[in-house]
Each structure stands twice: as structure tokens, then as C-alpha cells.
Amino acid sequence: MSPPAALDEVATTLRGARDPWWVIGSAAAWLHGAATSVADIDVLLSPRDAHDVIAAWCGDVVIGAPGEHFRSCPFARLEGATLPIELMAGLRVCSAGRWLAVRPATRQSVGEVHVPEPPELEAMFALFGRPKDRLRADLLRELGERSSGRSLRDGETLSSNIITMPRG
């Protein structure tokens, strides 16, 4: 499938968003130049924008339940686009037994979509901790090292907007 066409659909879908939103995950890594596959488009957005997009979507919408590692309210998978679009509002990730809210502090436009800057996206992947996320963090780190000539230290890129949330 075509990430550029899918990203155009995301931009069109979110054109009326009232709050900041970001493409994250594999599509964001791909936009930053990482050689990674893209199976869907992950979008962080506000709950009100998520509800508006879900209400306006013409295709199928699958609402997901909270998981043991990730939670968002709502989580929705929009079917019928070039690639599925996954909406995550109020995304939280469980790390070391604590729930952390994930909201990027940086916002870089790439065409008509917005992504966290590479160091912050790398930190998100590290926080998510799954094998595919660690691989994408490594790809972004390598790209950064090639472009800047220096390596980032552990924790140096963690956003101040990744905050601890009470469990539950």
C-alpha cells in the first residue's frame, strides 16, 4: 500500500481538527526517512477531534478496548482508507508499572501532516518498548547520528510532556 496516499487521506480527514494532532508510529518514522514498513497510520489527537472524525467517517469504524500496555479513549481503527487509520486520544502507555500519558512537545509539518521531531519520536518508540518499536528507535537514532555526527545519550530525548499518570 502507499504511505503517501494514506497520509494525504489523513490530512484531509483531519483538516477540520480543532486541536493539534500528530502522526506517530511507523508512518512518522518513514516520513523522517527510516527504512520501515507502514501497515497503518497511527494518529494522536484530542478526544473531541477523535469523536468528530469517527462521527464523520464514511467507512467502517472499529472501537478498541484498553490493553495491558496501551490505553486511549477512544481508540478507533478507521477502515476504508488506503491504509487503516488508527486514532488514539489520550494515549497512555504502561511502563515499569506506571501509566504515562503520551503527548508530544514537538510538532513538525511534513507536507500536510504533523509528526514529532525525530528525537522525540525515538524516545516514544523506546518508551513503547515492543521489538518493532525498539527497531524503529534504532533506525531513527542511526539517521540522527549520520546527519549530526553525534550519538544521543539515554534519556536525553525524552519529552517533558511524557508525564506519569495514576494507575487505572
Side-chain angles (χ1 to χ4, degrees):
M1 293 291 171
S2 169
L7 291 163
D8 288 344
E9 290 169 325
V10 167
T12 299
T13 299
L14 292 168
R15 190 162 285 130
R18 294 176 279 175
D19 301 310
W21 57 272
W22 298 260
V23 170
I24 64 167
S26 60
W30 182 84
L31 282 166
H32 282 304
T36 187
S37 62
V38 178
D40 56 33
I41 309 295
D42 298 319
V43 179
L44 286 181
L45 71 172
S46 70
R48 72 178 176 170
D49 284 336
H51 290 293
D52 290 348
V53 168
I54 291 166
W57 188 251
C58 293
D60 291 337
V61 177
V62 178
I63 303 295
E68 291 181 23
H69 191 64
F70 295 100
R71 293 184 180 168
S72 60
C73 187
F75 170 81
R77 184 175 176 96
L78 308 179
E79 301 286 348
T82 302
L83 292 173
I85 300 168
E86 294 190 346
L87 303 178
M88 294 167 250
L91 177 63
R92 295 185 297 158
V93 61
C94 188
S95 177
R98 298 180 330 186
W99 285 98
L100 305 174
V102 178
R103 182 170 170 86
T106 61
R107 189 167 188 251
Q108 176 181 349
S109 295
V110 180
E112 293 189 54
V113 299
H114 314 287
V115 294
E117 291 180 2
E120 187 171 32
L121 184 61
E122 179 188 330
M124 280 184 200
F125 286 135
L127 177 66
F128 296 163
R130 299 171 299 183
K132 68 181 183 180
D133 297 317
R134 288 192 299 271
L135 175 62
R136 290 180 182 131
D138 291 344
L139 291 170
L140 287 173
R141 186 176 312 104
E142 290 168 11
L143 285 170
E145 289 171 0
R146 282 198 299 263
S147 67
S148 72
R150 86 176 200 35
S151 177
L152 299 171
R153 292 174 298 209
D154 288 347
E156 182 180 31
T157 63
L158 283 175
S159 164
S160 61
N161 272 356
I162 298 176
I163 54 177
T164 302
M165 299 294 288
R167 202 176 169 108

